[in-house]
Amino acid sequence: MSITNTPTSNDACLSIVHSLMCHRQGGESESFAKRAIESLVKKLKEKKDELDSLITAITTNGAHPSKCVTIQRTLDGRLQVAGRKGFPHVVYARLWRWPDLHKNELKHVKYCQYAFDLKCDNVCVNPYHYERVVSPGIDLSGLTLSIPLLVKDEYDYDNQQSHSSSESHLQTIQHPPSRPSPHDTFINPALLPLSEGGGSASTSAFSTITPEYWCSIAYFEMDVQVGETFKVPSTCPIVTVDGYVDPSGGDRFCLGQLSNVHRTENIERARLHIGKGMQLECKGEGDVWVRCLSDHAVFVQSYYLDREAGRAPGDAVHKIYPSAYIKVFDLRQCHRQMQQQAATAQAAAAAQAAAVAGNIPGPGSVGGIAPAISLSAAAGIGVDDLRRLCILRMSFVKGWGPDYPRQSIKETPCWIEIHLHRALQLLDEVLHTMPIADPQPLD
């Protein structure tokens, strides 16, 4: 649903249930899902702020921070819906995030105050206040989905160790090898509605206008770009980025033949381990998958994977192990998020302007310092903030973030930045309809 049609806690229960039903994952029957959602909405009708938090979390796929959404804990801790009993946080996580979730695969995020494991009188059932983890002792070979696993060690794939619950705050998320789901092998190209009006590339549907190149790849060593940006033709939906010295062209970008007079011994050593590198695959209209061909892991910054893991965008680094094949970008989700952020920024800027002009919100509005801070932050969203949604960053061999000595990808020895042209094309369309503030510097 578009942001303008999203219900609020003031709407009728039926409207709210209908909206939330549109975002279910399909693992449960429609009748069970409807009864579970109806039950939750009715319990939250007297807690409007929590109901609004639930609506925001579900309709934005966790793209915006949300509060705890609580119901009263039962004596045995389980919730009964349509004659079935289950742990409440698991029931709703299955409905809206992971249909094949096992009850022991959830850990709460650190800012959740009423998580199920905290044994409070109320239980938080916000699906985006939990992340999915798999015990390292489970055999992953038979799984059909790539499931995140929190890890710390950069080199521990062959000797995985169990981690205590105290380490659940780690921001490196592991994606071990698994077989892709048959449902994920093709995305319907008709994801987005046809644009009305002009025939320029920025306003035409992908079904009629196809960018000549589906992505551009820039290679970096530390904070320095090495070589020219490599453009991948749309006729090559699969491109390999490897460490060999063959000439680059078409569906292959060889990093081994690129020279850098400032290259250090550490960088040279890391480059030797790139090997077969990785494959990037464009599916459907613009979804992107990655296959790790190297003998060493690659590390990915992906807002799509962040949301799938219940993290705030940019809050995690994803470790993709050798032979793993995983989706790292969803065009429809990206388009929805850029529309929402642009609309939020535009509305916030208008509200700020009204406040400066002396049009103070009425008594029915939310006032005080916190809303002013939120307005300021939202109004400060620039074009480059939205461009980040259209970019993937991937490091070979070495990770970065709180779990490593390197705090930024720009401190890793060899990494690439991928600009996704179809997403940038859609962003151009969004910005033509909703102009926002001047861009902020890209970090």
Side-chain angles (χ1 to χ4, degrees), residues 143-339:
L143 295 181
T144 57
L145 293 173
S146 294
I147 301 172
L149 173 66
L150 299 178
V151 297
K152 184 169 184 178
D153 196 326
E154 196 168 5
Y155 304 102
D156 68 351
Y157 177 64
D158 292 324
N159 185 26
Q160 294 178 7
Q161 301 173 1
S162 61
H163 298 272
S164 67
S165 59
S166 66
E167 291 188 342
S168 63
H169 66 281
L170 296 178
Q171 296 189 5
T172 302
I173 300 175
Q174 174 187 2
H175 299 270
S178 61
R179 295 195 304 271
S181 167
H183 301 295
D184 292 330
T185 56
F186 177 73
I187 305 297
N188 186 343
L191 291 179
L192 300 170
L194 292 174
S195 300
E196 299 177 359
S200 67
S202 63
T203 57
S204 299
F206 189 67
S207 57
T208 56
I209 297 290
T210 302
E212 183 180 0
Y213 302 98
W214 70 265
C215 76
S216 299
I217 307 173
Y219 169 65
F220 293 83
E221 293 177 358
M222 307 294 279
D223 60 351
V224 176
Q225 181 174 351
V226 178
E228 296 182 359
T229 299
F230 182 79
K231 293 184 177 180
V232 183
S234 295
T235 53
C236 301
I238 299 177
V239 60
T240 301
V241 183
D242 60 40
Y244 300 125
V245 296
D246 299 327
S248 297
D251 62 353
R252 189 176 177 198
F253 185 19
C254 297
L255 306 179
Q257 45 92 20
L258 299 177
S259 60
N260 177 10
V261 295
H262 302 292
R263 184 171 292 152
T264 66
E265 184 180 341
N266 284 340
I267 294 175
E268 191 66 70
R269 190 160 52 244
R271 280 168 52 85
L272 293 175
H273 294 291
I274 295 175
K276 295 179 181 178
M278 70 175 80
Q279 277 185 343
L280 298 169
E281 181 175 0
C282 181
K283 290 189 176 185
E285 186 175 0
D287 293 354
V288 178
W289 291 66
V290 166
R291 187 188 305 276
C292 181
L293 303 176
S294 173
D295 292 333
H296 297 268
V298 295
F299 297 80
V300 180
Q301 183 181 73
S302 159
Y303 287 177
Y304 169 77
L305 288 179
D306 292 343
R307 286 188 291 271
E308 289 298 293
R311 300 295 183 118
D315 190 43
V317 179
H318 300 269
K319 185 174 183 179
I320 314 298
Y321 278 108
S323 301
Y325 178 66
I326 186 168
K327 185 177 181 179
V328 293
F329 180 81
D330 185 285
L331 183 68
R332 177 165 47 184
Q333 190 179 70
C334 176
H335 185 232
R336 185 165 54 236
Q337 188 175 2
M338 65 176 68
Q339 287 178 315

